Amino acid sequence: METKKLTNAEVNAYGAFGTLLTFSIWVPTCYLSIFMTTYLGISASVMGTIYLVSMTADIVFSLLAGGLVDSLTFKKGKYLPWINALRWVVMFGSVGQVVNTSAMPLAFRLVVISVCYMAMHGSMNFVATAQSGIVAAVAGSNMEDRIKLTTRSTQISAGASIFLNFGTLPLITFIGKLSGDASLGYTIVGIAYAMFLLIGTVILNKYLGKYDDPALVGSPGKKFNLADMWRAIAGNDQMVVYALSQFVMQTGMNIVGGMGMYYWMLIMDRYQLSSVSSGLSTCAGFIFSLFIPSIGRKLGKVKSQYVATTVSALSNIAILMLALKSTWYMTAISIVSMATGYLTYGFGINYYLDIGEYGYYKTGKDYRTLCISMSNILMKFGRVGGTSLSGYVLAWIGFDKFNQMMLSGTLNRATEEFAAFSKTFMGVYCLIPLCAQVIGLMIFIFGYKIKDEDAVFYAAENAKKA
């Protein structure tokens, strides 16, 4: 087992980069659906089509990312050159999604959203793969250092999320009022947040650049293609199990992911309060991030997954029963679910690293970087399967009618018709992810076999090969 021990500065630098990267894409990630339906005049069904087309194209990039990052090594490194080059594209795409083009023809608006969406998310496939690859390059086979990197990243992100959740929406609203154009608040905050990525890359290069030495992390000439991606998945039974489990759960989550803000804006008429709720949740989340990951390490990766998924599923039942009574119930339940989520958040990419080490040990084929890239690919497939459906689900339950009434100021929330719609909305919002979590957890329980001690053994043996 490698005895490398990272300094606190190096661990913090990795965590800081992940947080600043999150800043750069926060506004379109959280508010794009609201921005499209409120300021761009795009209906829920058309929004679903935009997501479907854009995300399908994005999947192509996600399939290429793992093989290209693994097969190419540049003079200045294997991972950092990808991040340094693509940060500009990420920033452009992030800002472009929240520029008000409502004065232009509908076709133009759709093209702008789609192109900028693909620019940001397509580049993020490569950036995220490189970001994850740095963990193995920096920590080697030392499991303690690997988990330390991902845990610290989770902790710093949790701290920053306090500001992001408490401050973003009020900042958007303040700038919108100050400028006399509510949509301009999204654009200006989007630009300001995007700039944080430049700071993040400077920090990453300064503290971790020495570990991205081409002589240490790989050499040019290693060729991979989509066939290798298939072998990395199909030839690794644990990847098949984990991939299927995660795909099911992420699809269910993404179907309703874009509906969350409509609970606050349309159903409860408490849109500004959503930032307070999110802020309280993230304050609690920061506290949880300081000690719950250590509980997760004691439980191990497998038991932590059992507990976190089970509590998340129960939380959906509680939301269905209580959230229409008060937004504070929604906040309290979200905090409980978030607390147990930190059991697995601290492990982060380590699930995929373990699967990659397992596959390399069993087959002798080194597809570890491709396995790492699967975390991003699964997220993309879950998103295209879920988010694209969310617009159609909203249209199916009659969202457009009530949304237009709200925007025109004619919505009466006291009617029986709206009460029935609210119950349908919450049923969809809670039961879809609940079913997905139950199915995904069953797949994981009966199929996943890599214990923590096994992962340590595989990494040590593979290090000897290297």
Side-chain angles (χ1 to χ4, degrees), residues 24-93:
S24 70
I25 63 173
W26 185 263
V27 174
T29 299
C30 294
Y31 301 104
L32 180 58
S33 294
I34 291 288
F35 192 78
M36 281 195 286
T37 56
T38 304
Y39 301 106
L40 299 184
I42 296 174
S43 68
S45 58
V46 173
M47 178 177 69
T49 303
I50 293 174
Y51 280 134
L52 178 61
V53 173
S54 301
M55 291 178 179
T56 300
D58 183 32
I59 283 179
V60 176
F61 290 107
S62 70
L63 293 173
L64 295 174
L68 288 175
V69 171
D70 194 42
S71 62
L72 296 176
T73 301
F74 305 96
K75 291 182 179 180
K76 293 186 178 181
K78 186 178 184 67
Y79 301 113
L80 288 176
W82 289 100
I83 296 173
N84 292 332
L86 292 175
R87 57 185 168 177
W88 305 104
V89 186
V90 171
M91 293 166 62
F92 165 79

Side-chain angles (χ1 to χ4, degrees), residues 381-393:
F381 272 100
R383 184 174 291 168
V384 73
T387 309
S388 59
L389 287 175
S390 66
Y392 300 120
V393 170

Side-chain angles (χ1 to χ4, degrees), residues 34-300:
I34 291 288
F35 192 78
M36 281 195 286
T37 56
T38 304
Y39 301 106
L40 299 184
I42 296 174
S43 68
S45 58
V46 173
M47 178 177 69
T49 303
I50 293 174
Y51 280 134
L52 178 61
V53 173
S54 301
M55 291 178 179
T56 300
D58 183 32
I59 283 179
V60 176
F61 290 107
S62 70
L63 293 173
L64 295 174
L68 288 175
V69 171
D70 194 42
S71 62
L72 296 176
T73 301
F74 305 96
K75 291 182 179 180
K76 293 186 178 181
K78 186 178 184 67
Y79 301 113
L80 288 176
W82 289 100
I83 296 173
N84 292 332
L86 292 175
R87 57 185 168 177
W88 305 104
V89 186
V90 171
M91 293 166 62
F92 165 79
S94 177
V95 174
Q97 291 175 78
V98 287
V99 173
N100 192 343
T101 56
S102 59
M104 306 302 291
L106 177 61
F108 181 86
R109 283 174 268 162
L110 301 184
V111 169
V112 169
I113 289 292
S114 298
V115 170
C116 291
Y117 182 97
M118 287 185 283
M120 186 184 89
H121 289 279
S123 298
M124 280 296 296
N125 290 303
F126 295 89
V127 171
T129 299
Q131 179 189 7
S132 300
I134 288 173
V135 173
V138 170
S141 61
N142 188 307
M143 286 292 173
E144 182 181 344
D145 279 348
R146 289 186 180 187
I147 294 176
K148 186 184 293 184
L149 285 168
T150 53
T151 298
R152 188 62 53 81
S153 182
T154 298
Q155 291 169 339
I156 296 175
S157 293
S161 293
I162 296 174
F163 170 77
L164 286 172
N165 285 280
F166 259 130
T168 301
L169 186 57
L171 187 58
I172 289 172
T173 303
F174 171 74
I175 294 175
K177 290 181 178 179
L178 194 65
S179 64
D181 181 354
S183 69
L184 193 58
Y186 291 86
T187 308
I188 293 176
V189 175
I191 293 172
Y193 280 13
M195 299 300 291
F196 280 97
L197 182 54
L198 298 180
I199 301 172
T201 52
V202 170
I203 294 172
L204 194 65
N205 281 277
K206 178 179 179 180
Y207 288 96
L208 301 180
K210 60 186 177 183
Y211 294 107
D212 199 30
D213 187 336
L216 299 176
V217 297
S219 59
K222 189 178 183 181
K223 302 297 182 182
F224 280 95
N225 50 46
L226 291 180
D228 288 300
M229 178 65 74
W230 172 251
R231 295 186 191 101
I233 302 171
N236 188 328
D237 62 308
Q238 294 304 285
M239 177 58 80
V240 172
V241 169
Y242 194 70
L244 184 58
S245 171
Q246 289 297 302
F247 172 73
V248 170
M249 288 192 284
Q250 290 190 32
T251 299
M253 177 185 68
N254 280 293
I255 288 176
V256 302
M259 296 172 63
M261 279 297 176
Y262 295 119
Y263 163 81
W264 296 93
M265 176 183 282
L266 178 60
I267 303 299
M268 303 301 287
D269 193 23
R270 294 289 188 273
Y271 186 43
Q272 294 301 322
L273 191 60
S274 67
S275 63
V276 177
S277 175
S278 297
L280 291 173
S281 297
T282 49
C283 283
F286 175 66
I287 297 172
F288 297 145
S289 73
L290 299 178
F291 68 91
I292 288 184
S294 63
I295 298 175
R297 287 196 291 274
K298 292 179 181 179
L299 288 175

